[in-house]
Amino acid sequence: MKKSRTEITNERAKFLLSAYRHNGADAQDPIFREALEQAARDPDLATWFANQRSFDALIAEKLNSVQPPASLKPAILSGLYSAPSKHRSIFSWLPALAAVLVLSGILLTVTHQGSESDRPSLSQYQSAAFAVLSEGTAPKLDLLTSDLSRSQEYLSEKAAPRAPEVPAALRELQTVGCRAIDWNGKMISLTCFLLPSGELLHLFVIDAKTVGKISPQPGIREINGWHVELRREHGMLLMFVSKAPMPELVKYI
Amino acid sequence: MTRDLDLEAIVGRFYAPLYRFALSLTKSEAEAADLTQQTFLILAQRSYQIRDVSKVKCWLFTTLRREFLRGVRAHTSHPHVEFQPDIHDAPALAEDPLRSLDAKAVVNALASIEPTYRTAVELFYLSELSYKEIAETLDIPIGTVMSRLSRGKEQLKALLARTIVENSRKIIPMNRDEEVAN
């Protein structure tokens, strides 16, 4: 009778101990106390329990060896800072708004050869682009992918402009993803690259005709903590924006 | 326990296990990344709703699973797997052959557990949630969690044993002539 009672108890103990975490996090949970005491008394159960924990540890180790893509964490963080909190105070937007206004004003110093009526377009474009970045540390993206060609396909599907030529060094980097921005009926594309330092490099592209005739001055400018370079290539206006250190940036754009 | 959430710290701590859980649900790296990001976006938008910081982990896994189930992916990514539900005494697995299996084989075995039991087992291994937290995440009684873990793990052992046997059959013995020639 005693053996039968022990077997039944062992079955119950196995049932309970199947939920016991191999790292011992449940050691103080009273629901396991009797089962653990039984395992201490019964060699068969003790062997089963040791095997079970060993099995659990090995399975967890195997499964945890699967690593997320390197671009995932920056992408998540970029999304977090652009996600509006329903409890966010209007005052929390003021610094971002101020930054947009300051950046817009400074960027207008780019040589502009269009008519007076063209100028607001460039200003508004720059404001729109920087507003996307000023919402947080990085923008929210439509598509998360480490593959530049997938980003380019997506942008094409969305009829968003693409850079005619992405610098060769930049093409070697992983992307975080991209976004097609409908700006008053004009499409802007944004592609984010992950630099080796972990900083993001944002590439905005728009049809240059949309913002008038401009001749961007060559070189990277430092504006309010951002490094910015404007280029006009094959009818497209490219704007590179990043907080990465200048020496790193020049290697890629 | 109520305080402002440190979102960056939360991302740093939980994005990898959440991604793995998402991957086990979607079977697609791209969809898993998307689902993980979506979960944190919801956290950012609704962080004011979380009163107890210690519940964040459970909240994240619950939300990720809910978002997954909300989509049509729930239907397509949970193929029905024929399985004998009455397997109790799964073979004891020797650690060496088990250790020789790669992560993909374990992921595949996990994915082949009967759907009723699978999510509890996935949460147990991938999130290291306690049985109470799994019950909360899946919104089921504690006894049901224990039952699903017990049965699910037995199925996992049986599936892995089958995989090990199949792998051993793939090892082709060396041809005797070749052996001599070498």
Short mmCIF file of all heavy atoms in Angstrom, two decimals, chain B residues 148-181:
data_model
loop_
_atom_site.label_atom_id
_atom_site.label_comp_id
_atom_site.label_asym_id
_atom_site.label_seq_id
_atom_site.Cartn_x
_atom_site.Cartn_y
_atom_site.Cartn_z
N ARG B 148 -1.04 21.75 -19.11
CA ARG B 148 -0.50 21.98 -20.46
C ARG B 148 1.03 21.87 -20.47
O ARG B 148 1.60 21.39 -21.45
CB ARG B 148 -0.93 23.36 -20.97
CG ARG B 148 -2.42 23.41 -21.28
CD ARG B 148 -2.84 24.73 -21.87
NE ARG B 148 -4.28 24.76 -22.07
CZ ARG B 148 -4.94 25.79 -22.60
NH1 ARG B 148 -4.28 26.88 -22.97
NH2 ARG B 148 -6.25 25.73 -22.75
N LEU B 149 1.65 22.31 -19.40
CA LEU B 149 3.11 22.20 -19.34
C LEU B 149 3.53 20.74 -19.26
O LEU B 149 4.46 20.30 -19.95
CB LEU B 149 3.65 22.98 -18.14
CG LEU B 149 3.66 24.50 -18.26
CD1 LEU B 149 4.13 25.15 -16.96
CD2 LEU B 149 4.58 24.95 -19.41
N SER B 150 2.83 20.00 -18.40
CA SER B 150 3.18 18.60 -18.22
C SER B 150 3.02 17.83 -19.53
O SER B 150 3.94 17.13 -20.00
CB SER B 150 2.29 18.01 -17.12
OG SER B 150 2.53 16.63 -17.00
N ARG B 151 1.85 17.99 -20.18
CA ARG B 151 1.59 17.28 -21.42
C ARG B 151 2.46 17.80 -22.56
O ARG B 151 2.97 17.04 -23.37
CB ARG B 151 0.10 17.40 -21.78
CG ARG B 151 -0.84 16.86 -20.71
CD ARG B 151 -0.71 15.37 -20.53
NE ARG B 151 -1.20 14.65 -21.68
CZ ARG B 151 -2.48 14.36 -21.91
NH1 ARG B 151 -3.40 14.72 -21.05
NH2 ARG B 151 -2.83 13.67 -22.98
N GLY B 152 2.60 19.10 -22.60
CA GLY B 152 3.38 19.70 -23.69
C GLY B 152 4.83 19.28 -23.64
O GLY B 152 5.45 19.00 -24.68
N LYS B 153 5.39 19.23 -22.46
CA LYS B 153 6.80 18.81 -22.35
C LYS B 153 6.97 17.35 -22.73
O LYS B 153 7.99 16.96 -23.32
CB LYS B 153 7.30 19.04 -20.92
CG LYS B 153 7.58 20.49 -20.58
CD LYS B 153 8.18 20.52 -19.18
CE LYS B 153 8.55 21.91 -18.74
NZ LYS B 153 9.20 21.87 -17.42
N GLU B 154 6.00 16.52 -22.38
CA GLU B 154 6.07 15.12 -22.78
C GLU B 154 6.07 15.01 -24.30
O GLU B 154 6.82 14.23 -24.89
CB GLU B 154 4.88 14.34 -22.20
CG GLU B 154 4.90 14.19 -20.68
CD GLU B 154 6.13 13.45 -20.20
OE1 GLU B 154 6.37 12.34 -20.68
OE2 GLU B 154 6.86 14.00 -19.36
N GLN B 155 5.22 15.82 -24.94
CA GLN B 155 5.18 15.80 -26.40
C GLN B 155 6.51 16.29 -26.97
O GLN B 155 7.02 15.74 -27.95
CB GLN B 155 4.06 16.71 -26.91
CG GLN B 155 2.68 16.15 -26.65
CD GLN B 155 1.60 16.86 -27.47
OE1 GLN B 155 1.89 17.76 -28.25
NE2 GLN B 155 0.37 16.44 -27.28
N LEU B 156 7.06 17.31 -26.36
CA LEU B 156 8.33 17.85 -26.85
C LEU B 156 9.43 16.79 -26.78
O LEU B 156 10.21 16.62 -27.71
CB LEU B 156 8.72 19.09 -26.02
CG LEU B 156 10.04 19.77 -26.42
CD1 LEU B 156 9.98 20.28 -27.85
CD2 LEU B 156 10.34 20.94 -25.47
N LYS B 157 9.46 16.07 -25.67
CA LYS B 157 10.47 15.01 -25.53
C LYS B 157 10.28 13.94 -26.61
O LYS B 157 11.26 13.47 -27.21
CB LYS B 157 10.36 14.36 -24.14
CG LYS B 157 10.91 15.23 -23.03
CD LYS B 157 10.73 14.52 -21.69
CE LYS B 157 11.07 15.45 -20.55
NZ LYS B 157 10.74 14.87 -19.23
N ALA B 158 9.02 13.57 -26.84
CA ALA B 158 8.75 12.54 -27.85
C ALA B 158 9.18 13.03 -29.24
O ALA B 158 9.76 12.28 -30.03
CB ALA B 158 7.26 12.19 -27.83
N LEU B 159 8.88 14.29 -29.52
CA LEU B 159 9.24 14.85 -30.83
C LEU B 159 10.75 14.93 -31.01
O LEU B 159 11.28 14.63 -32.09
CB LEU B 159 8.62 16.25 -30.98
CG LEU B 159 7.11 16.28 -31.22
CD1 LEU B 159 6.53 17.63 -30.85
CD2 LEU B 159 6.81 15.95 -32.68
N LEU B 160 11.43 15.31 -29.95
CA LEU B 160 12.89 15.40 -30.04
C LEU B 160 13.52 14.02 -30.17
O LEU B 160 14.50 13.84 -30.90
CB LEU B 160 13.45 16.14 -28.82
CG LEU B 160 13.16 17.64 -28.78
CD1 LEU B 160 13.53 18.25 -27.44
CD2 LEU B 160 13.91 18.37 -29.90
N ALA B 161 12.92 13.06 -29.46
CA ALA B 161 13.43 11.68 -29.58
C ALA B 161 13.30 11.20 -31.02
O ALA B 161 14.20 10.57 -31.58
CB ALA B 161 12.65 10.76 -28.64
N ARG B 162 12.15 11.53 -31.64
CA ARG B 162 11.91 11.16 -33.03
C ARG B 162 12.95 11.83 -33.95
O ARG B 162 13.49 11.21 -34.85
CB ARG B 162 10.50 11.58 -33.43
CG ARG B 162 10.03 11.00 -34.75
CD ARG B 162 8.68 11.54 -35.14
NE ARG B 162 7.64 11.27 -34.16
CZ ARG B 162 6.44 11.83 -34.19
NH1 ARG B 162 6.13 12.69 -35.14
NH2 ARG B 162 5.53 11.52 -33.28
N THR B 163 13.21 13.10 -33.66
CA THR B 163 14.20 13.84 -34.48
C THR B 163 15.58 13.21 -34.36
O THR B 163 16.30 13.05 -35.36
CB THR B 163 14.26 15.31 -34.02
OG1 THR B 163 12.96 15.86 -34.09
CG2 THR B 163 15.20 16.12 -34.89
N ILE B 164 15.94 12.83 -33.15
CA ILE B 164 17.26 12.23 -32.94
C ILE B 164 17.37 10.91 -33.71
O ILE B 164 18.38 10.63 -34.36
CB ILE B 164 17.52 12.02 -31.42
CG1 ILE B 164 17.71 13.39 -30.75
CG2 ILE B 164 18.72 11.11 -31.18
CD1 ILE B 164 17.66 13.35 -29.23
N VAL B 165 16.29 10.12 -33.65
CA VAL B 165 16.29 8.84 -34.38
C VAL B 165 16.41 9.09 -35.88
O VAL B 165 17.21 8.45 -36.58
CB VAL B 165 15.00 8.04 -34.06
CG1 VAL B 165 14.86 6.84 -35.00
CG2 VAL B 165 15.02 7.58 -32.61
N GLU B 166 15.63 10.06 -36.37
CA GLU B 166 15.67 10.35 -37.82
C GLU B 166 17.05 10.85 -38.23
O GLU B 166 17.56 10.49 -39.29
CB GLU B 166 14.60 11.39 -38.17
CG GLU B 166 13.20 10.80 -38.21
CD GLU B 166 12.12 11.87 -38.30
OE1 GLU B 166 12.46 13.07 -38.34
OE2 GLU B 166 10.94 11.48 -38.31
N ASN B 167 17.65 11.67 -37.40
CA ASN B 167 19.00 12.16 -37.71
C ASN B 167 20.02 11.02 -37.75
O ASN B 167 20.91 11.01 -38.58
CB ASN B 167 19.45 13.20 -36.67
CG ASN B 167 18.75 14.53 -36.88
OD1 ASN B 167 18.05 14.72 -37.87
ND2 ASN B 167 18.94 15.45 -35.95
N SER B 168 19.86 10.08 -36.82
CA SER B 168 20.83 8.98 -36.76
C SER B 168 20.72 8.10 -38.01
O SER B 168 21.70 7.52 -38.46
CB SER B 168 20.61 8.14 -35.50
OG SER B 168 19.38 7.45 -35.61
N ARG B 169 19.50 8.05 -38.60
CA ARG B 169 19.31 7.24 -39.82
C ARG B 169 19.96 7.92 -41.02
O ARG B 169 20.21 7.29 -42.04
CB ARG B 169 17.83 7.03 -40.09
CG ARG B 169 17.19 6.01 -39.17
CD ARG B 169 15.71 5.90 -39.44
NE ARG B 169 15.08 5.01 -38.48
CZ ARG B 169 13.80 5.07 -38.13
NH1 ARG B 169 13.02 5.99 -38.68
NH2 ARG B 169 13.31 4.24 -37.25
N LYS B 170 20.14 9.22 -40.92
CA LYS B 170 20.74 9.94 -42.05
C LYS B 170 22.24 9.75 -42.13
O LYS B 170 22.88 10.12 -43.10
CB LYS B 170 20.44 11.44 -41.94
CG LYS B 170 18.98 11.77 -42.22
CD LYS B 170 18.74 13.24 -41.98
CE LYS B 170 17.25 13.54 -42.03
NZ LYS B 170 16.96 14.89 -41.53
N ILE B 171 22.82 9.22 -41.06
CA ILE B 171 24.26 8.99 -41.07
C ILE B 171 24.54 7.73 -41.89
O ILE B 171 24.17 6.63 -41.51
CB ILE B 171 24.82 8.83 -39.64
CG1 ILE B 171 24.53 10.12 -38.85
CG2 ILE B 171 26.31 8.52 -39.67
CD1 ILE B 171 24.85 10.00 -37.39
N ILE B 172 25.15 7.92 -43.04
CA ILE B 172 25.40 6.80 -43.95
C ILE B 172 26.75 6.16 -43.61
O ILE B 172 27.77 6.86 -43.56
CB ILE B 172 25.42 7.27 -45.41
CG1 ILE B 172 24.08 7.95 -45.72
CG2 ILE B 172 25.71 6.14 -46.37
CD1 ILE B 172 24.08 8.74 -47.01
N PRO B 173 26.73 4.84 -43.33
CA PRO B 173 28.00 4.20 -43.00
C PRO B 173 28.97 4.26 -44.18
O PRO B 173 28.57 4.18 -45.33
CB PRO B 173 27.61 2.75 -42.68
CG PRO B 173 26.22 2.59 -43.12
CD PRO B 173 25.59 3.92 -43.32
N MET B 174 30.22 4.40 -43.87
CA MET B 174 31.24 4.51 -44.91
C MET B 174 31.35 3.19 -45.68
O MET B 174 31.26 2.11 -45.10
CB MET B 174 32.59 4.85 -44.26
CG MET B 174 33.69 5.14 -45.25
SD MET B 174 35.22 5.50 -44.39
CE MET B 174 34.93 7.13 -43.79
N ASN B 175 31.48 3.31 -46.97
CA ASN B 175 31.63 2.13 -47.82
C ASN B 175 32.93 1.40 -47.46
O ASN B 175 33.97 2.02 -47.28
CB ASN B 175 31.66 2.61 -49.29
CG ASN B 175 31.77 1.46 -50.25
OD1 ASN B 175 32.78 0.76 -50.26
ND2 ASN B 175 30.72 1.28 -51.02
N ARG B 176 32.80 0.07 -47.38
CA ARG B 176 33.95 -0.71 -46.94
C ARG B 176 35.18 -0.50 -47.84
O ARG B 176 36.30 -0.38 -47.37
CB ARG B 176 33.59 -2.19 -46.87
CG ARG B 176 34.70 -3.10 -46.36
CD ARG B 176 34.23 -4.52 -46.24
NE ARG B 176 33.29 -4.71 -45.14
CZ ARG B 176 33.68 -4.98 -43.88
NH1 ARG B 176 34.94 -5.07 -43.60
NH2 ARG B 176 32.79 -5.15 -42.93
N ASP B 177 34.92 -0.45 -49.21
CA ASP B 177 36.03 -0.28 -50.16
C ASP B 177 36.73 1.05 -49.93
O ASP B 177 37.95 1.14 -49.94
CB ASP B 177 35.53 -0.35 -51.60
CG ASP B 177 35.02 -1.76 -51.94
OD1 ASP B 177 35.45 -2.70 -51.22
OD2 ASP B 177 34.21 -1.89 -52.87
N GLU B 178 35.89 2.10 -49.70
CA GLU B 178 36.46 3.42 -49.48
C GLU B 178 37.30 3.41 -48.21
O GLU B 178 38.36 4.02 -48.11
CB GLU B 178 35.36 4.47 -49.33
CG GLU B 178 34.66 4.79 -50.64
CD GLU B 178 33.50 5.73 -50.44
OE1 GLU B 178 33.26 6.14 -49.29
OE2 GLU B 178 32.80 6.02 -51.42
N GLU B 179 36.77 2.63 -47.22
CA GLU B 179 37.48 2.55 -45.95
C GLU B 179 38.87 1.96 -46.14
O GLU B 179 39.86 2.46 -45.63
CB GLU B 179 36.66 1.68 -44.98
CG GLU B 179 36.95 1.93 -43.54
CD GLU B 179 35.97 1.18 -42.65
OE1 GLU B 179 35.11 0.45 -43.15
OE2 GLU B 179 36.12 1.34 -41.45
N VAL B 180 38.89 0.90 -46.96
CA VAL B 180 40.17 0.24 -47.23
C VAL B 180 41.10 1.16 -48.01
O VAL B 180 42.28 1.29 -47.71
CB VAL B 180 39.94 -1.09 -48.01
CG1 VAL B 180 41.26 -1.68 -48.46
CG2 VAL B 180 39.18 -2.08 -47.13
N ALA B 181 40.50 1.79 -49.05
CA ALA B 181 41.29 2.67 -49.91
C ALA B 181 41.92 3.79 -49.11
O ALA B 181 43.03 4.24 -49.41
CB ALA B 181 40.43 3.25 -51.03
#
